[in-house]
Amino acid sequence: RKEVEQDPGPFNVPEGATVAFNCTYSNSASQSFFWYRQDCRKEPKLLMSVYSSGNEDGRFTAQLNRASQYISLLIRDSKLSDSATYLCVVNRGSSNTGKLIFGQGTTLQVKP
Amino acid sequence: EAQVTQNPRYLITVTGKKLTVTCSQNMNHEYMSWYRQDPGLGLRQIYYSMNVEVTDKGDVPEGYKVSRKEKRNFPLILESPSPNQTSLYFCASSPSPRLAGNNEQFFGPGTRLTVL
């Protein structure tokens, strides 16, 4: 089993749709969770950190479920510009280990 | 402009010919890291550095070396490249080694390496 697993997709959705991605992780000691966005083999960029209480940034909502060991990303009112690959990132162990594990990414295609 | 730079951006080389990919950041970040990205495997961490003169292996360190003699630079060295090191390489930096909260990693533009 991979340490961080994502459904690679692609998810094809129409503009305006709501779409959700899940990401499961295997290390129960993980403390830090992030969603990064990557456009077409360019460098990844931080979309949002994921906090225990869940957090929202505009149309994006991130949730953490420690009991089931998954994080989720919800995108509301999808825009064409949301088309990208979304990477789930989890640290291995305590927050100070410096080791980050990336999921292979979920590809989103938003169509007109 | 705050940024992470990598050089070269593209490189085609032959098996066994030593090469170095440079990485430099101008944000005074403590933490730096190297990743490789391969189709179906995602980004995998090669080496990371929590501060000057402190480096540690990531998940796929075999065939690579790094050094952190000064804060801004973190070169990746392939002493004897092989075809299985053909990949897209990213360098990243972060203000603090504590990877939590809003401690974002800033990535360089990537280096596409082909080893023939």
Side-chain angles (χ1 to χ4, degrees):
Chain A
R1 183 188 171 191
K2 289 182 182 176
E3 286 189 79
V4 176
E5 287 202 77
Q6 295 181 252
D7 180 346
F11 284 59
N12 295 302
V13 303
E15 264 187 298
T18 295
V19 61
F21 311 134
N22 278 350
C23 163
T24 58
Y25 61 95
S26 62
N27 189 339
S28 60
S30 294
Q31 297 292 326
S32 302
F33 310 90
F34 308 90
W35 284 102
Y36 276 73
R37 171 191 167 131
Q38 186 175 27
D39 292 294
C40 202
R41 302 290 269 180
K42 292 194 174 177
E43 70 271 24
K45 294 184 179 176
L46 180 68
L47 180 66
M48 57 200 304
S49 301
V50 186
Y51 300 111
S52 297
S53 53
N55 46 300
E56 192 173 303
D57 183 3
R59 298 181 293 108
F60 299 84
T61 301
Q63 300 262 337
L64 167 64
N65 185 319
R66 285 194 187 275
S68 301
Q69 292 182 207
Y70 75 84
I71 66 173
S72 63
L73 177 68
L74 181 79
I75 306 175
R76 288 181 298 278
D77 189 23
S78 301
K79 312 287 185 198
L80 295 176
S81 57
D82 293 334
S83 297
T85 297
Y86 292 84
L87 307 174
C88 168
V89 186
V90 177
N91 83 301
R92 184 185 284 154
S94 71
S95 294
N96 289 327
T97 63
K99 283 193 174 180
L100 290 179
I101 311 298
F102 282 70
Q104 69 170 11
T106 297
T107 299
L108 172 65
Q109 282 283 348
V110 181
K111 304 214 181 276
Chain B
E1 182 191 350
Q3 59 184 348
V4 179
T5 56
Q6 294 179 227
N7 281 293
R9 294 288 313 281
Y10 303 91
L11 179 61
I12 301 174
T13 189
V14 295
T15 299
K17 187 176 179 184
K18 180 179 178 179
L19 67 93
T20 299
V21 184
T22 63
C23 173
S24 184
Q25 49 93 5
N26 61 1
M27 297 170 278
N28 201 37
H29 284 173
E30 290 186 14
Y31 178 90
M32 296 186 76
S33 184
W34 274 104
Y35 299 89
R36 62 177 288 174
Q37 187 171 32
D38 303 288
L41 296 176
L43 275 99
R44 293 179 292 168
Q45 195 169 34
I46 303 171
Y47 269 95
Y48 64 96
S49 170
M50 304 275 243
N51 214 324
V52 176
E53 302 290 3
V54 180
T55 62
D56 245 313
K57 294 178 181 178
D59 287 319
V60 288
E62 296 78 21
Y64 305 95
K65 284 186 180 177
V66 292
S67 67
R68 188 93 183 270
K69 294 191 173 75
E70 46 190 345
K71 207 170 193 179
R72 64 182 294 126
N73 295 324
F74 191 44
L76 180 70
I77 302 152
L78 284 73
E79 294 270 1
S80 183
S82 61
N84 64 14
Q85 292 179 296
T86 293
S87 188
L88 177 59
Y89 291 86
F90 288 105
C91 178
S93 74
S94 187
S96 163
R98 181 170 160 74
L99 299 166
N102 285 323
N103 192 20
E104 176 179 356
Q105 279 200 88
F106 294 85
F107 283 81
T111 295
R112 194 173 291 278
L113 172 66
T114 301
V115 183
L116 302 174

